Amino acid sequence: MKVIEKIQAAAAADPDRVVFSFEFFPPKTEDGVDNLFERMDRMVAHNPSFCDITWGAGGSTADLTLEIANKMQNVICVETMMHLTCTNMPVEKIDHALQTIKANGLQNVLALRGDPPHGQDRFVQVEGGFACARDLVKHIRAKYGDYFGITVAGYPEAHPDMIGNDGVATPESYQNDLAYLKSKVDAGADLIITQLFYDTDIFLKFVNDCRQIGITCPIVPGIMPINNYRGFLRMTGFCKTKIPAEITAALEPIKDNEEAVKSYGIHLGTEMCKKILAHGIKTLHLYTLNMEKSALGILMNLGLVEESRISRSLPWRRPTNVLRVKEDVRPIFWANRPKSYISRTIGWDQYPHGRWGDSCNPSYGALTDYQFMRPRSRDRKLIEEWAVPLRTVEDVHERFKLFCLGRLRTSPWTELDGLQPETRIINDQLERLNIKGFLTINSQPAVNGERSDSPSVEGDSCGHNSLS
Ligand code: FAD
C-alpha cells in the first residue's frame, strides 16, 4: 500500500491519530545486517506506519539496499519505502532498481538527487541519468504511472547548497528552494519528508510557507534524536542545520557524558514533537540511525508506544529498559525476584566467551573452545570404555553401574576424570539405582559444605573409599 494512502486513511479514521515511521540505513557488515533485522523486528512491533531504508551515498549500497528493502517488506512485513538517488545512476540502473522493488511488492520510493560522488563537491549528472530529484519523479510517473507512492525531500532551512557562510539562506534562495520543491510535488510526488532540524519554529514556518505557495501534500518532520555529541556536531555541520542557543547551552556541560547526552536527546526530541503535534501535524518521521533506544524513548514519552501492544501477560513486571522489553522468558525460580534477576543477568552478554549467550554478541566464542577440544587421549579412553557391544538394556545399566563404582574413568557426559571423591559416600546407592534402570548422570551427596578434597570427605568415613 502507498504510504500516502496509509497516512490519509489514518487521518480520515481519526484526525487526532498520530502516525510515525522509522528510517534505517544499510549496515556495513553482515552481522550488522542480521542485527538490524532483529532490531527492526522489535521496532516494527510498535506499529510504525512505514519504515524506510536509505540508498548509500553515490549508490554505494545499491544491491544491499534492494535486498534489505525486499526483506523489510516481505519478511519483517512492514510497509517499506526505499530511497533512490540519481548519483552514478544511468536510467537503466534506476529502472532495474524500480523494477526489482516492484517485483518484490514494494510500492514506495523516496526519490532523491543524492549528493555529489565522493571527492567531488558539485553534483554531476551522469550520462543517461537525471539532473535532479524532479526529473526522477517525472520519470517514475511517466514509466510506472500510479503504481508507486513517491516521496521527496524538503529542507526547512533550504538545501545546504543554498545556505551561505553566515549559516542562513537568503530570502531569495529560500523562496527558489520552495518553488523547486513545489515543482517536485507538481511532477508527481505525494509526500514530503524533511531534512533534520532542531529549531521547531523554523519547521513550522516552512510548513506554513509551503502552504502559501500551494503545496498541499503532507509534510512529515524528520526528527533526528541526539545520540552523541560529536555525531550531532558532525551531522548538523554537514547539513548546515541551525542549533538554537539553548541546545548548545544544555549540551555543553554534559557533552562528555554519553548517557546524559542521550537522555537530553530524548527529552529534546519529545519536546520538539509535542510542539509539532500541538500545531496539528500528526505525522512524525524518526531518523533512528539504526538505534532503537532514543527513537522509542521519544515515542514512549509521547504515549505513542504502548508496551501492551507487544506484550503477552507475564508473571512479572515487564522491564521498561528498552534493551530488555522483549524479554518474555525467565527461569521460574527468579521470576518473582526482579532485583536479583536483573542484577544477575544484566551483564550476561558480556561473558568473556559468551558460549551460552547471544551468538550475535562480539564476545561470543567459537565452538572450538569447548567439547570439540577434548584431549585426544581422553577420546581414546572414552571409546575403549563406552564403545562396547551393548546387547540388552541390562548391558547399559551395567555400564552406568561400573562408572558409579569408579571402575570406568570416563563418561560421555562429563569432562572429569572419574567421579568426584565425595561420590564414594553414595556409590552403593548409585549402584543399586542404576542396576534397577534409573540411570544417573549427576549426583551430589550431602557433605555439609565440605570441599571435595577435605579429609572428612576423602577418608574412609563410610568405608567406601577402596576404589582402584
Ligand atoms: P533535489 O531535490 O534534486 O535538489 C536539491 C536542491 O538543489 C533543491 O532543494 C534546490 O535547492 C536545488 N535544485 C536542484 N534542482 C533545481 C532546479 N531545477 N531548480 C532550482 N533548484 C534546484 N542522500 C543519499 O545519498 N541517500 C539517501 O538515502 C538519502 N536520503 C535522504 C532522505 C531525506 C529525507 C533527505 C532530506 C535527504 C536525503 N539524502 C540522501 C540527502 C540528499 O541526497 C541530499 O540532500 C542531496 O544533496 C539533495 O537531494 P534532493 O533529492 O533533495 O535533491
Side-chain angles (χ1 to χ4, degrees), residues 23-26 52-61 65 81-87 110-116 123 131-137 151-156 158-162 173-174 176-181 183-184 192-196 220 222 238-239 285 287:
E23 180 188 285
F24 301 97
F25 66 84
D52 53 336
I53 182 77
T54 64
W55 190 260
S60 54
T61 65
T65 295
M81 175 188 289
M82 189 187 76
H83 297 204
L84 182 60
T85 74
C86 306
T87 313
L110 175 42
L112 298 145
R113 182 194 70 184
D115 285 318
F123 180 85
C132 61
R134 183 181 57 197
D135 291 354
L136 177 57
V137 175
T151 300
V152 289
Y155 300 85
H159 185 273
D161 290 352
M162 306 286 147
S173 308
Y174 176 76
N176 286 343
D177 209 42
L178 277 187
Y180 170 70
L181 176 60
S183 76
K184 288 201 279 190
I192 295 168
I193 296 182
T194 77
Q195 183 61 287
L196 61 99
V220 183
F238 180 70
C239 298
H285 185 64
Y287 292 113

Side-chain angles (χ1 to χ4, degrees), residues 3-4 6-11 14-22 49-50 190-194 197 203-204 207 211 217-223 272-286 299 302 304:
V3 163
I4 181 68
K6 291 193 82 171
I7 291 175
Q8 284 166 344
D14 174 2
D16 290 330
R17 163 128 186 250
V18 178
V19 293
F20 56 86
S21 48
F22 297 129
S49 56
F50 69 95
D190 39 38
L191 191 69
I192 295 168
I193 296 182
T194 77
F197 57 89
F203 166 75
L204 293 170
V207 174
R211 301 301 181 225
C217 69
I219 301 173
V220 183
I223 307 291
M272 286 172 66
C273 290
K274 275 186 187 163
K275 188 163 167 181
I276 290 167
L277 296 175
H279 279 79
I281 294 162
K282 303 294 179 187
T283 47
L284 302 171
H285 185 64
L286 287 137
L299 295 177
L302 295 171
L304 297 174

Side-chain angles (χ1 to χ4, degrees), residues 167-346:
V168 285
T170 62
E172 196 191 352
S173 308
Y174 176 76
Q175 284 305 330
N176 286 343
D177 209 42
L178 277 187
Y180 170 70
L181 176 60
K182 180 164 189 306
S183 76
K184 288 201 279 190
V185 176
D186 292 344
D190 39 38
L191 191 69
I192 295 168
I193 296 182
T194 77
Q195 183 61 287
L196 61 99
F197 57 89
Y198 290 99
D199 186 330
T200 313
D201 288 336
I202 288 182
F203 166 75
L204 293 170
K205 175 179 179 302
F206 168 74
V207 174
N208 196 37
D209 293 340
C210 286
R211 301 301 181 225
Q212 297 295 318
I213 61 162
I215 296 175
T216 54
C217 69
I219 301 173
V220 183
I223 307 291
M224 185 175 288
I226 303 175
N227 281 294
N228 76 70
Y229 185 68
R230 279 196 186 79
F232 166 72
L233 288 189
R234 206 169 38 242
M235 197 62 90
T236 48
F238 180 70
C239 298
K240 300 190 182 166
T241 315
K242 182 186 162 197
I243 307 175
E246 62 272 20
I247 296 182
T248 307
L251 282 173
E252 192 54 36
I254 56 168
K255 63 184 178 189
D256 296 321
N257 179 341
E258 209 162 306
E259 271 311 301
V261 171
K262 247 190 193 98
S263 299
Y264 174 71
I266 293 173
H267 163 76
L268 176 69
T270 306
E271 294 307 308
M272 286 172 66
C273 290
K274 275 186 187 163
K275 188 163 167 181
I276 290 167
L277 296 175
H279 279 79
I281 294 162
K282 303 294 179 187
T283 47
L284 302 171
H285 185 64
L286 287 137
Y287 292 113
T288 69
L289 296 175
N290 291 357
M291 293 181 266
E292 58 193 307
K293 186 175 174 179
S294 300
L296 290 185
I298 291 171
L299 295 177
M300 279 186 192
N301 286 348
L302 295 171
L304 297 174
V305 162
E306 283 169 32
E307 279 184 289
S308 58
R309 274 199 219 140
I310 54 162
S311 309
R312 63 184 175 93
S313 58
L314 296 171
W316 63 83
R317 200 174 306 142
R318 186 172 283 279
T320 50
N321 177 339
V322 289
L323 301 173
R324 304 187 76 139
V325 283
K326 209 186 154 207
E327 186 174 81
D328 58 4
V329 174
R330 280 185 184 184
I332 196 76
F333 52 94
W334 282 346
N336 294 316
R337 293 166 52 201
K339 263 196 189 155
S340 80
Y341 177 74
I342 298 293
S343 64
R344 276 170 197 255
T345 59
I346 198 96

